[in-house]
Amino acid sequence: MTHKRTSLRVALTLGALLLPLLGGCSFSVTERMVCADASSCQPPSAIVDMATPPDLLNPRTDPNEAGPFQVASQELTVPANLNLSQNKLTMVWPSDDGMTPSAKNPSYPLVLMLPAQSLPLTQLRSYADRLASHGIASALIKVSDERRQVRYRDSVLALIPYLTQTSDVKDRLIADHVGAFGYQLGGEVALSALSKSTLAIHSAVLIDPVAVLSFVESLDGLNDAASVSQGKDAPLLFIGELLSKLSEPGILPCTPPDANFEAFYARVSGSAVAITVNGATLGDFVSTYPDNCGLPSADRATTMRLAIKLTTAYFQWTLLDRPTAQDYLFGSNWNLDRSRNSLEQVKKGL
């Protein structure tokens, strides 16, 4: 009797398995039925390719927000003849775990970041972190003596082939996708480096570039600017303000009126864009600034947010080859920022 009950259970089980097969269904290794005839059983749920990183299925591209990557820092020791402070620079990488460079792409574009005179590199981290989150590596550069401006410029030029051809990180960098970001003195140095390079620097963002007075190896940044001619695919982007070039009673202006970002923009040939943040002043492009260069009417946090957004959109376009990012510089997104935040723009060669 027991044998008959066992045989009956086996027969019923086999029948349950054969019925869907006769209806055109098969079983996957996860015991989910996959049917040729949708009317005979439920269709399977969508299958996700687990070899594809989930955050790249729907990439976050808005430059006003962090991108799909985490961020990792690396202290890189460099040769003494590069004249960097403590013979080191800080690399900021796209990362998967917040500790090491991401392996999602074999290599990444590079932006050289040059700070204002005497400004700690930490004040540029918000720009570097945003770029890294969108898949662009950064090198935060501090030279041993900023007064020697010509040597500063030459160190920047020598650093590019070192990083992209010789260093331990050369295989992680795209040698022909190098940009420069300069703030104040860093802006003048970046523009001078661009004038002396032979296609080593593809594109550049210059925030409030200033011709800083020096009695030791001073650059003639305005004269260098006259030999810079960028193409339409990578026009120079200037971002600046006007308050710091205006003197107050008994006080000299923080920026020489004839050597601010407007003067640099006027000197360059080729393609360029200049954006003025009305109501901002010299120190409003970083979170804290040691000098008082006028009383801004614009909100510092908003000014900084806009500068980071525009910088990121520009390098998305010129280094990541993402033409849709131009909308944040010239299109409907730009028009929204312009009307909401009292921005002005002039451009040439475009």
Side-chain angles (χ1 to χ4, degrees):
M1 190 68 180
T2 302
H3 177 71
K4 290 183 178 180
R5 283 197 299 268
T6 301
S7 299
L8 181 59
R9 282 198 300 269
V10 170
L12 290 173
T13 301
L14 289 174
L17 290 171
L18 289 172
L19 184 59
L21 291 173
L22 293 173
C25 300
S26 63
F27 288 97
S28 70
V29 294
T30 56
E31 299 300 321
R32 178 180 295 144
M33 289 188 295
V34 182
C35 302
D37 181 3
S39 63
S40 60
C41 64
Q42 293 296 319
S45 59
I47 298 175
V48 177
D49 181 2
M50 297 308 293
T52 303
D55 53 10
L56 295 184
L57 293 176
N58 296 293
R60 298 187 294 275
T61 59
D62 184 353
N64 198 46
E65 299 176 349
F69 293 95
Q70 297 184 52
V71 176
S73 295
Q74 176 187 12
E75 292 298 310
L76 189 66
T77 300
V78 300
N81 61 7
L82 290 175
N83 300 306
L84 299 196
S85 179
Q86 300 179 342
N87 297 326
K88 291 183 178 180
L89 61 77
T90 300
M91 296 293 301
V92 183
W93 296 98
S95 176
D96 303 326
D97 57 10
M99 295 181 289
T100 58
S102 173
K104 286 175 182 169
N105 298 329
S107 54
Y108 295 92
L110 171 68
V111 172
L112 307 175
M113 309 203 77
L114 314 178
Q117 189 173 30
S118 303
L119 194 72
L121 288 173
T122 53
Q123 294 205 331
L124 297 185
R125 275 303 299 264
S126 53
Y127 291 89
D129 287 353
R130 180 65 57 79
L131 290 175
S133 77
H134 284 275
I136 300 172
S138 295
L140 276 63
I141 301 166
K142 193 73 171 176
V143 292
S144 55
D145 188 352
E146 292 173 326
R147 298 172 303 164
R148 297 183 179 276
Q149 297 173 359
V150 173
R151 190 167 75 172
Y152 185 175
R153 187 265 321 277
D154 292 345
S155 292
V156 171
L157 289 174
L159 182 62
I160 298 171
Y162 170 75
L163 285 175
T164 59
Q165 300 172 24
T166 306
S167 72
D168 292 341
V169 300
K170 64 181 185 300
D171 294 334
R172 293 176 178 162
L173 299 171
I174 305 175
D176 61 351
H177 279 57
V178 176
F181 170 97
Y183 176 40
Q184 295 179 34
L185 171 61
E188 181 184 32
V189 172
L191 193 55
S192 181
L194 188 59
S195 76
K196 305 299 182 185
S197 68
T198 55
L199 303 179
I201 301 174
H202 179 67
S203 54
V205 173
L206 311 168
I207 295 188
D208 236 339
V210 175
V212 176
L213 179 65
S214 175
F215 298 102
V216 184
E217 296 185 21
S218 180
L219 285 174
D220 187 350
L222 288 170
N223 186 58
D224 288 340
S227 63
V228 175
S229 181
Q230 291 291 108
K232 293 181 179 180
D233 62 328
L236 288 178
L237 173 60
F238 293 86
I239 303 175
E241 47 70 44
L242 302 177
L243 287 180
S244 65
K245 74 173 186 175
L246 304 175
S247 62
E248 298 181 11
I251 303 176
L252 291 174
C254 289
T255 300
D258 58 348
N260 72 327
F261 84 101
E262 292 179 308
F264 283 102
Y265 170 80
R267 290 291 188 95
V268 298
S269 57
S271 300
V273 182
I275 294 173
T276 304
V277 185
N278 291 311
T281 190
L282 190 68
D284 287 349
F285 298 103
V286 290
S287 56
T288 57
Y289 192 75
D291 296 324
N292 179 11
C293 296
L295 297 176
S297 58
D299 175 64
R300 169 180 272 176
T302 300
T303 297
M304 188 174 172
R305 177 183 63 79
L306 288 168
I308 293 172
K309 175 183 182 178
L310 294 168
T311 296
T312 304
Y314 173 82
F315 285 126
Q316 284 180 328
W317 169 29
T318 61
L319 295 184
L320 290 178
D321 304 317
R322 191 175 294 160
T324 55
Q326 294 181 68
D327 186 56
Y328 295 94
L329 300 167
F330 308 116
S332 57
N333 274 287
W334 156 255
N335 286 325
L336 285 174
D337 283 335
R338 176 185 56 79
S339 59
R340 290 173 179 172
N341 300 290
S342 187
L343 305 179
E344 295 180 9
Q345 182 187 107
V346 293
K347 53 189 176 183
K348 56 185 175 182
L350 290 170

